[in-house]
Amino acid sequence: MTHDIHIIGGGLAGSEAAWQMAEAGYRVRLSEMRGVEGTPAHKTDDLAELVCSNSFRSDDAESNAVGLLHAELRQMGSLIMACADKHRVPAGSALAVDRDGFSAAVTSAVAGHERIELVRERVDGLPQGPAIIATGPLTASALAQSILAETGEEQLAFFDALAPIVHRDTIDMDVAWFQSRWNKGEGKDYINCPMNKDEYLAFIDALLAGEKTAFKDWEADTPYFDGCMPIEVMAERGVDTLRHGPMKPVGLDDPRTGRWPYAVVQLRQDNALGTLWNIVGFQTKLKHAEQVRVFRTIPGLEKAEFARLGGLHRNTFINSPRLLDGELRLKSAPNIRFAGQITGCEGYIESAAVGLLASRFAAAELAGRTMPRPPVETALGALHNHITGGAEAETFQPMNVNFGLMPPLTGIGRTKKADRKLLYTARAREKLAGWLESAA
Ligand SMILES: Cc1cc2nc3c(=O)[nH]c(=O)nc-3n(C[C@H](O)[C@H](O)[C@H](O)COP(=O)(O)OP(=O)(O)OC[C@H]3O[C@@H](n4cnc5c(N)ncnc54)[C@H](O)[C@@H]3O)c2cc1C
């Protein structure tokens, strides 16, 4: 079958994109290498296989950004959401699925579509015609090399050295303070959390004792991103290593004492809106529950809410803010779009969402139209904005959807956190409705 668009990768993003394009009336060639070649994490040949957990996380569309994304995708006719809903298993307020039933349903819908040709093949080069690359965190290496050659980047497969990210409004600014080291740069570049000697020593002990996740065999040869070292590995090298590294106190005057503390934890602004701050140098393999427990011992972060916890696993992703335009097209080769985790979103549902968005942009372009971008106040738009410009290219790292990626609410005065979440989702629903009308 001749095709209008070539989609590479039949995971969460590629399956969603293929089905959306076909439903819009276009003929799709969908290339998926499993069937002829496996990946280190997938176990079946099914499309949209869930490589680890069977959870799509919270399904609460009123007060959770992930649940909101579910609702937006349902409203937009997502195949992934329809199959997830059909194969739901009990999981409280989360959306968890029977993984085999879910993947089988996606495979059957995609492979059985009259306008989709599913080809079991590994693709090594970038296509010449319209294409969507959705090959995910474990993109086969020959294609990764072709992407490197096209983009001029040096490296695509990294350990995700994810530092934890904190919601700014949960930091106790009676304890923490704004200051750049030696007062260089803008005064508000860093938030500093002070530690005395006892607090520091207890913190080092907690890092060393905390339970860690293990590397997988196939992760062994992957380099650390930018030479980032997990914080607990630094702590193992000596009790003062962190105090001479990311927790260095010099040039930082605690306004409560007028002196440099024994050690300092610094947070740096993570998004243009200033709602999210990452803990500088705190990439870690500590288990998530341990991170929450240990990082909340840091003075000023006792009540911290985390938009993302730290992590370290192999991931292939492009520097989207630098390489992609607002329609998810490669600036240097606009016939190529990217979708899914390779764009720097993180998670099953986020990947499907970017797959859906890439296909809508592509379908509009094939029809000679331009689709307006989704409003940043929606979950879909917040994710799109993070990928295509909201995040700094120099420090770009993968991200789950969260309220911190949306513009703060204005004119609401002091409002309880639970009420603020309701306001975020109400605003998102209104904006989505307006966008869907204009994008139709
Ligand atoms: C070990 C591991 C554990 C994870 N655990 C979770 C989790 O618990 N929860 C969560 O939300 N996210 C998890 N993730 C992230 C998860 O991978 C993504 O959320 C999601 O699978 C990404 O969807 P995608 O469509 O972008 O990529 P994928 O679902 O990986 O799909 C990409 C597809 O492209 C194919 N492919 C690759 N290269 C080629 C090529 N050259 N030619 C043809 N086909 C190709 C692959 O075979 C694959 O089927 C995990 C990732 C890893 C690596």
Side-chain angles (χ1 to χ4, degrees):
M1 164 163 84
T2 52
H3 58 268
D4 301 303
I5 189 156
H6 188 180
I7 298 179
I8 306 175
L12 278 299
S15 300
E16 181 72 60
W19 196 79
Q20 294 292 337
M21 291 300 299
E23 285 290 285
Y26 296 101
R27 289 159 305 169
V28 179
R29 180 186 183 94
L30 174 61
S31 300
E32 167 52 56
M33 71 178 185
R34 283 179 294 118
V36 290
E37 182 174 325
T39 82
H42 292 82
K43 295 190 174 64
T44 74
D45 294 342
D46 278 348
L47 301 181
E49 179 184 330
L50 306 178
V51 284
C52 189
S53 150
N54 68 331
S55 172
F56 283 66
R57 316 201 313 277
S58 173
D59 200 32
D60 173 1
E62 294 298 317
S63 52
N64 186 290
V66 182
L68 177 67
L69 186 59
H70 291 174
E72 292 180 359
L73 289 176
R74 283 187 185 108
Q75 210 175 329
M76 294 181 70
S78 156
L79 172 71
I80 294 297
M81 285 308 300
C83 294
D85 285 336
K86 200 161 166 206
H87 292 277
R88 187 174 195 138
V89 294
S93 62
L95 172 57
V97 301
D98 170 316
R99 68 174 69 239
D100 294 334
F102 165 75
S103 296
V106 175
T107 307
S108 152
V110 171
H113 202 293
E114 59 179 0
R115 281 185 287 280
I116 300 177
E117 185 184 9
L118 172 61
V119 187
R120 300 289 182 168
E121 62 179 357
R122 193 189 73 202
V123 177
D124 292 343
L126 293 175
Q128 296 300 315
I132 298 177
I133 313 293
T135 44
L138 303 169
T139 296
S141 64
L143 182 63
Q145 289 306 320
S146 301
I147 298 170
L148 286 179
E150 173 59 43
T151 57
E153 301 280 288
E154 283 175 9
Q155 182 92 37
L156 273 189
F158 302 112
F159 273 125
D160 257 357
L162 302 178
I165 295 182
V166 178
H167 287 277
R168 159 72 183 81
D169 56 4
T170 64
I171 302 173
D172 182 356
M173 295 306 289
D174 290 337
V175 175
W177 77 99
F178 282 111
Q179 189 189 2
S180 299
R181 204 180 297 282
W182 305 114
N183 294 317
K184 285 186 182 156
E186 298 286 319
K188 297 218 160 184
D189 286 355
Y190 288 90
I191 292 175
N192 303 283
C193 300
M195 275 189 189
N196 63 31
K197 186 171 181 180
D198 289 345
E199 287 162 343
Y200 176 78
L201 294 177
F203 182 72
I204 298 295
D205 285 346
L207 283 182
L208 294 176
E211 216 184 326
K212 326 281 186 313
T213 49
F215 280 122
K216 309 265 190 323
D217 290 349
W218 45 270
E219 292 179 314
D221 300 331
T222 309
Y224 286 117
F225 182 68
D226 269 357
C228 290
M229 194 60 75
I231 181 173
E232 61 277 5
V233 175
M234 278 188 266
E236 273 168 16
R237 297 192 167 176
V239 70
D240 282 328
T241 306
L242 282 169
R243 228 165 61 80
H244 293 144
M247 296 177 70
K248 194 163 54 182
V250 297
L252 294 168
D253 316 291
D254 185 343
R256 292 185 307 170
T257 63
R259 302 178 53 188
W260 300 350
Y262 191 76
V264 169
V265 173
Q266 287 200 298
L267 295 99
R268 185 171 47 217
Q269 189 169 329
D270 199 81
N271 63 344
L273 297 169
T275 48
L276 300 175
W277 290 66
N278 69 67
I279 313 185
V280 180
F282 269 38
Q283 55 278 352
T284 176
K285 280 174 68 67
L286 280 176
K287 291 200 162 168
H288 281 182
E290 293 283 76
Q291 290 184 44
V292 174
R293 184 180 63 75
V294 174
F295 296 153
R296 281 190 183 153
T297 65
I298 297 170
L301 299 187
E302 292 88 347
K303 295 194 172 147
E305 295 287 337
F306 295 90
R308 182 187 75 194
L309 285 159
L312 214 69
H313 62 77
R314 193 179 117 185
N315 199 359
T316 305
F317 63 97
I318 59 171
N319 193 313
S320 293
R322 179 156 53 224
L323 299 176
L324 300 187
D325 69 12
E327 290 197 22
L328 301 166
R329 287 177 300 213
L330 207 50
K331 289 177 189 163
S332 64
N335 60 308
I336 306 283
R337 281 188 165 79
F338 280 82
Q341 184 134 336
I342 196 167
T343 63
C345 63
E346 174 90 23
Y348 299 145
I349 201 61
E350 287 86 343
S351 297
V354 180
L356 185 144
L357 208 44
S359 65
R360 293 288 167 96
F361 280 127
E365 187 175 297
L366 288 174
R369 291 187 292 113
T370 304
M371 185 180 78
R373 294 164 197 184
V376 66
E377 294 86 355
T378 63
L380 201 57
L383 203 53
H384 168 265
N385 181 56
H386 172 74
I387 293 165
T388 59
E392 293 288 336
E394 282 65 38
T395 54
F396 184 62
Q397 286 284 286
M399 183 63 111
N400 290 125
V401 69
N402 65 79
F403 288 129
L405 297 178
M406 299 176 184
L409 298 159
T410 50
I412 56 161
R414 284 178 72 81
T415 315
K416 276 197 282 181
K417 196 162 90 187
D419 293 339
R420 273 209 308 275
K421 291 179 175 173
L422 297 177
L423 291 171
Y424 270 113
T425 54
R427 182 179 69 172
R429 277 193 293 277
E430 196 186 314
K431 291 280 180 181
L432 186 78
W435 176 65
L436 288 177
E437 221 166 89
S438 67

